[in-house]
Amino acid sequence: MYFEDSLFALDDHGTVYHLDTKDLTLKNKFSLSVQTLPIYSGGIVVDADKLYISTSNSILGLDARSGERIRLIDDPNLSSISSTTNPIFTDKLIIKGNHWRGMCAIERDGGQSAWFNKTVVDSVANPILVDSEIIAPTRYRVIKLNLDGKIIAESASHSERFYNTHSAPLYYNGKLYVPTTEVGIMVLDAETLEELYTLDCEGSLIASGPYTGINYKSTFGNPIVKDETVIFTATDGCIYFYDVNNRALKKKINIGHPLLSGVVEIEGGYCVCDFDGGLSFFN
């Protein structure tokens, strides 16, 4: 995670590194406890001038400018099998999906538990906030919760590996664009969670989690919208550009290597990192 002149990173052993991007010197580091499967995929977010780092059983708060530790929240309700989630924030709450355990909210002032929803146990990971409602993908459905942690709507159910819980949905103009492991991007009505249509891709070049094989139409990275175009990557090695209004495929770029991370917008274009360690730039 970049913030001004600093780079923050977390490894699988729970060590947080704070680097100066000007000369790559190590300014500070912290050690966090992790559980048996300390899989790290995301978990570092900035809110205002505070940086929060999520592991499988804690949230560390840092001052994003100085890197100084503010608070370590180590609540039993934070416990999850691994850290595959980015927390989201309201003015009072930190909300976190707990992989294979549920979803919880922690009070920003004091770090005490606000609620813990144990019924959401199906690999819920990366939630988003839309008009004071929480929307999150699970393995086989998309759920909507209020800020008290109560489920108020859910989509149709599919096989248990259908939605890709490593990714966060994209909200745009009343629709949700949700990465899946089987049909590319599923588009839902954000109010009712009714399934509207899909944005297609080709079969995967690799077998990947959650438990999918070759030729599944998997998308891992978070989709983005730019100039009325939905842009997303797929494990077939391609980047897709779909018109948000008529669903037409406007452009497709074949990188040739599986893509498990999303597209990043940069000055003058975009970049993407592939599974084989390549970094590609395009416009």
Side-chain angles (χ1 to χ4, degrees):
M1 169 66 71
Y2 289 97
F3 183 82
E4 296 181 350
D5 293 327
S6 292
L7 171 65
F8 295 89
L10 172 66
D11 66 22
D12 278 355
H13 300 287
T15 303
V16 180
Y17 302 91
H18 178 196
L19 300 172
D20 189 319
T21 57
K22 295 178 180 178
D23 55 14
L24 295 182
T25 56
L26 181 66
K27 300 178 71 172
N28 210 339
K29 69 178 181 179
F30 305 89
S31 294
L32 302 175
S33 62
V34 293
Q35 294 190 351
T36 305
L37 292 174
I39 301 168
Y40 167 67
S41 176
I44 303 182
V45 293
V46 172
D47 182 62
D49 59 350
K50 294 181 176 59
L51 184 120
Y52 295 89
I53 300 174
S54 173
T55 72
S56 54
N57 57 352
S58 63
I59 295 177
L60 174 68
L62 302 175
D63 183 288
R65 289 189 170 84
S66 67
E68 293 301 313
R69 173 170 157 169
I70 299 171
R71 179 189 299 131
L72 177 65
I73 302 174
D74 194 6
D75 188 281
N77 288 339
L78 290 170
S79 177
S80 61
I81 294 298
S82 62
S83 178
T84 60
T85 179
N86 290 327
I88 58 175
F89 305 89
T90 71
D91 58 344
K92 297 181 179 179
L93 299 174
I94 303 172
I95 301 163
K96 178 180 181 290
N98 295 10
H99 194 53
W100 293 354
R101 290 290 186 266
M103 179 176 284
C104 69
I106 303 295
E107 295 178 359
R108 295 185 68 160
D109 294 332
Q112 303 301 313
S113 294
W115 51 261
F116 179 42
N117 189 325
K118 296 181 180 179
T119 64
V120 187
V121 296
D122 43 344
S123 294
V124 65
N126 284 300
I128 61 172
L129 199 62
V130 178
D131 296 332
S132 299
E133 293 177 332
I134 305 161
I135 296 175
T138 74
R139 285 183 295 179
Y140 61 90
R141 59 181 176 154
V142 175
I143 56 172
K144 182 186 293 187
L145 304 90
N146 62 24
L147 292 180
D148 293 324
K150 307 297 182 183
I151 296 178
I152 55 178
E154 60 182 77
S155 71
S157 296
H158 296 274
S159 66
E160 67 171 358
R161 61 181 176 229
F162 185 82
Y163 286 107
N164 198 327
T165 54
H166 288 268
S167 308
L170 166 70
Y171 172 79
Y172 185 74
N173 277 359
K175 294 184 177 67
L176 296 168
Y177 296 81
V178 190
T180 77
T181 62
E182 296 184 14
V183 297
I185 299 290
M186 176 70 77
V187 184
L188 283 69
D189 183 286
E191 180 63 30
T192 64
L193 300 187
E194 176 188 1
E195 296 176 359
L196 302 176
Y197 52 87
T198 59
L199 302 178
D200 201 16
C201 64
E202 300 297 327
S204 178
L205 298 174
I206 57 171
S208 58
Y211 319 117
T212 55
I214 302 296
N215 293 327
Y216 279 84
K217 296 182 177 182
S218 294
T219 56
F220 267 75
N222 296 345
I224 64 173
V225 169
K226 181 71 174 180
D227 298 329
E228 296 294 288
T229 302
V230 178
I231 308 171
F232 65 91
T233 60
T235 54
D236 63 2
C238 297
I239 306 160
Y240 292 86
F241 300 73
Y242 277 93
D243 191 296
V244 298
N245 299 306
N246 61 21
R247 301 178 241 164
L249 179 60
K250 300 170 68 174
K251 183 166 61 173
K252 174 182 173 181
I253 299 175
N254 191 343
I255 301 298
H257 303 272
L259 301 173
L260 277 72
S261 61
V263 172
V264 176
E265 185 178 2
I266 60 175
E267 184 177 355
Y270 307 90
C271 69
V272 65
C273 182
D274 64 55
F275 182 70
D276 296 304
L279 186 64
S280 302
F281 299 86
F282 58 94
N283 52 31

